[in-house]
Amino acid sequence: MNCFAQNDAKKDATILKKLYDTSLLNGKSYAWLDYLSNQIGGRLSGSVNAQKAVEWGEKELKELGIDKVWLQSVMVPKWTRGVTEFAYIETEPGRTTNVPICALGGSVPTPIGGIKAPIIEVKGIEDLRKLGSDQITGKIVFFNRPMQADLIETFKAYGGCVDQRYSGAAEAANFGAVGVIVRSMNLRLDDFPHTGSMSYGDLPDMDKIPAAAISTNGADLLSSMLTLNPKVKFHMNMNCRTWKDVESFNVIGEITGSEFPNEYMVVGGHLDSWDLGDGSHDDGAGIVQSMEVLRLFKEIGYKPKRSIRVVLFMNEENGLRGGKKYAEVAKNKGENHVFALESDAGGFTPRGFSFDCDDVNFEQVESWKSLFEPYLIHYFAKGGSGADIGPLKKDGIVLAGLRPDSQRYFDYHHAKNDTFDAVNKRELELGAATMASLVYLFDSYGVK
Amino acid sequence: MNCFAQNDAKKDATILKKLYDTSLLNGKSYAWLDYLSNQIGGRLSGSVNAQKAVEWGEKELKELGIDKVWLQSVMVPKWTRGVTEFAYIETEPGRTTNVPICALGGSVPTPIGGIKAPIIEVKGIEDLRKLGSDQITGKIVFFNRPMQADLIETFKAYGGCVDQRYSGAAEAANFGAVGVIVRSMNLRLDDFPHTGSMSYGDLPDMDKIPAAAISTNGADLLSSMLTLNPKVKFHMNMNCRTWKDVESFNVIGEITGSEFPNEYMVVGGHLDSWDLGDGSHDDGAGIVQSMEVLRLFKEIGYKPKRSIRVVLFMNEENGLRGGKKYAEVAKNKGENHVFALESDAGGFTPRGFSFDCDDVNFEQVESWKSLFEPYLIHYFAKGGSGADIGPLKKDGIVLAGLRPDSQRYFDYHHAKNDTFDAVNKRELELGAATMASLVYLFDSYGVK
């Protein structure tokens, strides 16, 4: 290592320390999250709360005194849950046990008064296909393959199950099912049903069937009752609805680069959330951490060489319209995006990042490892980045995702208990400082 | 690396995977903790609950079918809190604001009806000494130096403050104070006072003054009221009491070694807890993880070469009598202890271990790092181990402490909210598997 590089390492260490100290001693992320979660709350795309969140984000970014703040219009889907869903298991007429369900995002409603039908359990889509129309027609299909608890990274366990939620209804409808119940994507046994997006694919409207998630405790109960008596029936009642698309916005703030203003670096999360909780982990945390990156730079007096943008993406959950729109506009304007970092894995203790980039840039990241050691940041791996920044992918861009500890994430994900009290202030602040540190390093040394 | 070593690494990787899989898929630690926390509860040394915990530990270890299970008698202090403490700030006669306090463990009570006196804030013991008797006599001293939020490892922040709690009363009494209030050792702002041990040193009984912790919110309130009006008074009422020492027990279980039965390896935590919560993180987690190490070995059919003991130490919190007794008996019997591992830092996601050992053994540990990588265990450092195993220290022994993520630990430590619901099942299970893996490796390769 030459003398120049050594000097830089010392300077870098000093700046990282300033970023961490400021986030922990004088951070704003937690107070922002308090407002977003407790004063606004759940903010599904197209809702009044989503609009409030847009206005709040714009106002807060403007108060930072950064160079530019603007809204980027984007049409988003609008789906509403309606009154709380209701379901029971019926062992014989008049003998029923209620179980907690919630409609999956995008589902059609049941007919008024609900549906009641025999229910059949499958462990996944392949299992369903084996059974075929004979055994499926006229029934509610119960997808009950649990998340694999022996996988250390819970996102892998999620990835191994979520096809049931996303495609289960379309597949089951093809075999004549009248409804779908999916075991919640939750590693814990509890009473919270977890919603999430689903798709009917190219199914005609008249063939769409209602789809709901059932809590993990409810799923275990239903499964054991089916074992005792395969003739139990299931009743479900939902009055969710899909409306016409409505206008919403990505919220964007920028510190314009002092040396390379035409090289853009993005840091962001998604501003929309599901409607059941207040979306503190998913993805309020990512929103306030991303805003905090720019605030920390201002606070410690760091003037970036490249243009740093914070983007509060709209509609990650059920459409990704915001992410697609941002990339489309960037492309049309010929903006040279060199780096993007997303935080969308919860506000837990940061462990590191995963990178979607070429080897040269990954080697550069690995050369920074020791700078992160004092903060117990140790995880630097190739892998995915984030859904919202995915559409920016092209040769020469570095895409990165913050990787917090994942053990508790699916306890809260898309459920009623994803609330502010489940976020620890220090864990959130450490994440923001970790993100700011990576952005600082890429700004200083550039993308190779 | 030679062929033999490679084969071993492969075998080791297979065994570690079995340990982690078994803990996550078929673990018993969480169910054990549920019983210890929810059926027994807080178990301060000398209490009925502590005795229940001893009986429970012995019974559960016997059910494991290990080679030996026995109780080791030890005399422990007995201190009781009595009725819930009560305190208020009085701005003028009749105008009072209640604040949450709790007696520090070992404190004398206030006189019946409590005490009321002017209160003076200090930032620590040095600050107190500067003020001297003139300003302290007749007053309650309010120690209000907060934990340093910019320290990444929260135990360091604790270490930087806990002298106020441990020695504050003895110091203040020397300057004529009539009572002591200490800001809770908590990085979060909330309403829970955190107890913990304190000592009067060699102060005569008649000079001892009552000492209590105040919640962090209460401390901030009191501090700001003192700024507005230095003449406010403080009232505190406590009827805690120290009784004669009583008999209690360490609970010990052993799998006798197949090749080196006279080399002992200990894994343990402490069975006693404070009385306010149910002691789930401190140290129910360490107890059930330690028990799980032996159960995992049985479960995967691993027969250790060395004798592995699980020790459920009694009285870590306010005396360390169990740890001292165990070491004393071991020494008297001439038992050759080569390794001891303690879990007493909460049931959070494990990050690694700290080691109190010589360089040769630490190098051996470092050679195992890659085996732990799939489980995101990355922290291997020299440092402290655990209070209970400390008395075993001698040349040639390896002492180790499990190091879980520390960010949330002091949210719960010694407070009413240290309860079962604050423990995540997977985080607890990962800790148990991580401990079992280290014990397995030291058993396989020996202590150098």
Side-chain angles (χ1 to χ4, degrees):
Chain A
M1 195 181 274
N2 64 29
C3 192
F4 176 72
Q6 282 203 337
N7 281 347
D8 274 0
K10 206 167 169 185
K11 182 187 145 208
D12 293 342
T14 307
I15 292 195
L16 261 62
K17 178 144 175 51
K18 273 191 199 167
L19 292 169
Y20 277 94
D21 285 359
T22 307
S23 186
L24 287 166
L25 292 171
N26 187 26
K28 201 160 175 188
S29 55
Y30 193 66
W32 271 331
L33 187 63
D34 188 2
Y35 192 93
L36 183 61
S37 298
N38 289 323
Q39 301 303 317
I40 297 176
R43 43 199 176 277
L44 190 55
S45 291
S47 67
V48 171
N49 277 4
Q51 181 55 27
K52 282 187 191 170
V54 165
E55 287 162 16
W56 166 84
E58 185 186 20
K59 175 177 154 288
E60 291 296 334
L61 288 179
K62 281 187 173 162
E63 283 182 13
L64 290 185
I66 53 182
D67 298 310
K68 295 180 203 166
V69 175
W70 71 100
L71 300 184
Q72 183 174 65
S73 171
V74 54
M75 295 302 289
V76 298
K78 182 178 170 73
W79 176 86
T80 55
R81 184 172 301 283
V83 297
T84 305
E85 301 84 347
F86 177 69
Y88 59 76
I89 305 165
E90 184 184 271
T91 42
E92 55 185 89
R95 292 192 61 163
T96 63
T97 307
N98 294 357
V99 283
I101 66 160
C102 67
L104 295 181
S107 173
V108 295
T110 59
I112 291 169
I115 55 170
K116 184 159 73 179
I119 183 156
I120 184 162
E121 178 175 341
V122 296
K123 290 297 180 193
I125 287 165
E126 206 172 325
D127 201 6
L128 173 90
R129 287 178 184 158
K130 275 184 207 151
L131 290 174
S133 300
D134 275 8
Q135 297 207 52
I136 300 297
T137 301
K139 291 182 184 158
I140 294 170
V141 173
F142 169 35
F143 288 96
N144 194 30
R145 184 167 79 260
M147 286 172 77
Q148 234 182 291
D150 56 337
L151 294 172
I152 304 299
E153 297 186 60
T154 60
F155 284 87
K156 286 192 182 154
Y158 179 66
C161 275
V162 71
D163 63 326
Q164 301 175 100
R165 187 193 79 202
Y166 192 76
S167 310
E171 292 278 348
N174 278 329
F175 293 108
V178 297
V180 157
I181 292 289
V182 183
R183 181 188 184 92
S184 285
M185 304 291 127
N186 177 7
L187 280 151
R188 196 163 71 164
L189 291 174
D190 65 27
D191 298 320
F192 299 106
H194 293 223
T195 190
S197 66
M198 52 87 67
S199 164
Y200 291 107
D202 50 10
L203 216 60
D205 275 357
M206 57 174 298
D207 294 341
K208 291 177 180 173
I209 58 175
I214 185 169
S215 72
T216 47
N217 275 338
D220 281 357
L221 176 70
L222 177 56
S223 182
S224 62
M225 286 172 90
L226 274 168
T227 306
L228 291 172
N229 175 8
K231 301 207 164 155
V232 299
K233 290 186 175 174
F234 195 85
H235 167 86
M236 58 197 284
N237 193 351
M238 306 168 6
N239 73 338
C240 42
R241 184 168 166 185
T242 299
W243 308 75
K244 271 196 293 190
D245 287 0
V246 297
E247 188 185 28
S248 186
F249 303 92
N250 293 327
V251 185
I252 308 173
E254 180 182 305
I255 301 178
T256 305
S258 59
E259 284 185 40
F260 313 107
N262 295 326
E263 288 189 20
Y264 293 95
M265 298 178 62
V266 164
V267 57
H270 63 85
L271 193 52
D272 64 309
S273 76
W274 283 104
D275 55 331
L276 295 172
D278 64 34
S280 284
H281 277 296
D282 187 13
D283 182 28
I287 286 296
V288 299
Q289 287 173 327
S290 299
M291 291 163 64
E292 183 75 346
V293 169
L294 275 72
R295 198 194 69 89
L296 289 175
F297 285 165
K298 292 284 286 184
E299 193 81 6
I300 71 163
Y302 176 71
K303 293 192 200 318
K305 299 177 186 175
R306 293 166 174 81
S307 292
I308 315 275
R309 283 190 186 161
V310 54
V311 184
L312 316 183
F313 292 98
M314 183 49 68
N315 184 231
E316 188 269 350
E317 292 295 2
N318 56 340
L320 207 65
R321 301 278 183 87
K324 287 173 184 164
K325 170 63 79 171
Y326 181 83
E328 180 194 318
V329 172
K331 195 177 176 189
N332 290 345
K333 289 194 173 173
E335 290 172 348
N336 179 25
H337 279 71
V338 296
F339 173 87
L341 167 63
E342 180 152 2
S343 167
D344 184 20
F348 306 97
T349 301
R351 306 290 296 262
F353 302 95
S354 67
F355 294 91
D356 184 358
C357 68
D358 60 20
D359 291 342
V360 179
N361 279 295
F362 188 65
E363 275 164 32
Q364 179 173 230
V365 166
E366 292 199 306
S367 77
W368 298 330
K369 265 186 169 180
S370 62
L371 286 167
F372 284 98
E373 247 175 49
Y375 311 103
L376 304 181
I377 302 299
H378 65 102
Y379 184 86
F380 299 87
K382 287 223 182 181
S385 55
D388 295 293
I389 61 175
L392 285 169
K393 184 161 178 165
K394 55 163 191 177
D395 283 348
I397 193 172
V398 172
L399 301 179
L402 181 71
R403 289 290 162 259
D405 192 284
S406 76
Q407 299 311 320
R408 287 171 285 146
Y409 188 62
F410 292 97
D411 294 359
Y412 308 114
H413 183 243
H414 297 178
K416 195 176 165 182
N417 60 338
D418 180 4
T419 49
F420 183 66
D421 58 294
V423 177
N424 176 278
K425 182 171 180 281
R426 291 177 59 82
E427 295 185 357
L428 183 76
E429 291 167 346
L430 286 168
T434 304
M435 291 168 71
S437 298
L438 184 72
V439 175
Y440 158 74
L441 289 166
F442 266 110
D443 181 56
S444 292
Y445 298 103
V447 170
K448 305 297 176 192
Chain B
M1 194 182 274
N2 64 29
C3 193
F4 177 72
Q6 283 204 335
N7 280 347
D8 273 1
K10 206 167 169 183
K11 182 187 147 210
D12 293 341
T14 306
I15 292 196
L16 262 62
K17 178 144 175 51
K18 273 190 198 169
L19 292 169
Y20 277 93
D21 284 0
T22 307
S23 187
L24 288 165
L25 292 171
N26 187 26
K28 201 160 173 187
S29 55
Y30 193 67
W32 271 331
L33 187 62
D34 187 3
Y35 192 93
L36 183 61
S37 299
N38 290 323
Q39 301 303 315
I40 297 177
R43 44 201 175 275
L44 190 55
S45 290
S47 66
V48 171
N49 277 3
Q51 182 55 27
K52 282 187 192 169
V54 165
E55 289 162 15
W56 165 84
E58 185 185 19
K59 176 177 153 288
E60 291 296 334
L61 289 180
K62 282 188 173 164
E63 282 181 14
L64 290 185
I66 54 181
D67 298 310
K68 295 180 203 164
V69 176
W70 71 100
L71 300 185
Q72 183 173 67
S73 172
V74 56
M75 295 303 289
V76 298
K78 182 177 170 73
W79 176 87
T80 55
R81 183 172 303 282
V83 297
T84 305
E85 301 83 348
F86 175 70
Y88 59 75
I89 305 165
E90 184 183 270
T91 42
E92 55 186 88
R95 292 193 62 164
T96 63
T97 307
N98 294 356
V99 283
I101 66 160
C102 68
L104 296 181
S107 174
V108 296
T110 59
I112 292 168
I115 56 171
K116 184 159 73 179
I119 184 156
I120 184 162
E121 178 175 342
V122 297
K123 291 298 179 193
I125 289 166
E126 208 172 323
D127 202 5
L128 172 88
R129 288 177 183 157
K130 275 186 208 150
L131 291 173
S133 300
D134 275 7
Q135 299 207 51
I136 300 297
T137 301
K139 290 182 184 157
I140 294 170
V141 173
F142 169 35
F143 288 95
N144 194 30
R145 184 167 79 260
M147 286 171 77
Q148 233 183 290
D150 55 338
L151 294 172
I152 303 300
E153 298 186 60
T154 59
F155 283 87
K156 287 193 183 154
Y158 179 67
C161 274
V162 71
D163 63 325
Q164 301 176 101
R165 188 194 78 202
Y166 192 75
S167 310
E171 293 278 348
N174 277 329
F175 293 108
V178 297
V180 157
I181 291 290
V182 184
R183 181 188 184 92
S184 285
M185 304 289 126
N186 178 6
L187 281 151
R188 197 164 70 164
L189 291 173
D190 64 27
D191 298 319
F192 300 106
H194 293 223
T195 190
S197 66
M198 53 86 68
S199 164
Y200 291 107
D202 50 10
L203 215 59
D205 276 357
M206 58 175 296
D207 294 341
K208 291 176 180 173
I209 58 175
I214 185 169
S215 72
T216 46
N217 275 338
D220 282 358
L221 176 70
L222 177 56
S223 182
S224 62
M225 285 172 90
L226 274 167
T227 306
L228 291 171
N229 175 8
K231 301 207 164 156
V232 300
K233 290 186 175 174
F234 196 85
H235 168 86
M236 59 198 282
N237 194 351
M238 310 174 354
N239 71 339
C240 41
R241 183 168 167 187
T242 300
W243 307 75
K244 272 196 293 194
D245 287 0
V246 298
E247 188 186 26
S248 187
F249 304 91
N250 293 326
V251 185
I252 308 173
E254 179 183 305
I255 301 178
T256 305
S258 58
E259 283 184 40
F260 313 108
N262 296 324
E263 288 189 20
Y264 293 95
M265 299 178 61
V266 164
V267 57
H270 63 85
L271 192 52
D272 64 307
S273 77
W274 284 104
D275 55 330
L276 296 171
D278 64 34
S280 284
H281 276 296
D282 187 15
D283 182 29
I287 287 296
V288 300
Q289 287 173 328
S290 299
M291 291 163 65
E292 183 75 346
V293 170
L294 275 72
R295 199 194 68 89
L296 290 174
F297 286 166
K298 292 283 289 184
E299 193 82 7
I300 71 163
Y302 176 71
K303 292 191 201 320
K305 298 177 187 175
R306 293 166 175 80
S307 292
I308 315 275
R309 283 189 185 160
V310 54
V311 184
L312 317 183
F313 292 98
M314 182 48 68
N315 185 230
E316 189 270 347
E317 292 295 2
N318 56 340
L320 207 66
R321 301 278 184 87
K324 287 173 184 165
K325 171 63 82 172
Y326 182 83
E328 182 193 318
V329 172
K331 196 178 174 188
N332 291 344
K333 289 193 173 173
E335 289 172 348
N336 179 25
H337 279 71
V338 297
F339 174 87
L341 166 63
E342 181 153 1
S343 167
D344 184 20
F348 306 98
T349 301
R351 306 290 295 262
F353 302 94
S354 68
F355 294 90
D356 184 356
C357 68
D358 60 20
D359 290 342
V360 178
N361 280 294
F362 189 65
E363 275 163 32
Q364 179 172 230
V365 165
E366 291 199 306
S367 76
W368 298 330
K369 266 188 168 178
S370 62
L371 285 167
F372 285 97
E373 247 174 50
Y375 311 102
L376 304 180
I377 301 300
H378 65 102
Y379 183 86
F380 299 87
K382 286 223 182 182
S385 55
D388 297 293
I389 60 174
L392 286 170
K393 185 160 177 165
K394 55 163 191 175
D395 282 349
I397 194 172
V398 173
L399 300 179
L402 181 70
R403 289 291 163 259
D405 193 284
S406 76
Q407 299 311 320
R408 286 171 285 146
Y409 188 62
F410 292 96
D411 294 0
Y412 308 113
H413 184 243
H414 298 178
K416 195 177 165 182
N417 59 338
D418 180 5
T419 47
F420 183 65
D421 57 295
V423 176
N424 176 277
K425 182 171 181 279
R426 291 178 59 82
E427 296 185 356
L428 182 76
E429 291 168 344
L430 286 169
T434 304
M435 292 169 71
S437 298
L438 184 72
V439 175
Y440 158 74
L441 288 166
F442 266 110
D443 180 56
S444 292
Y445 297 104
V447 170
K448 304 297 175 192

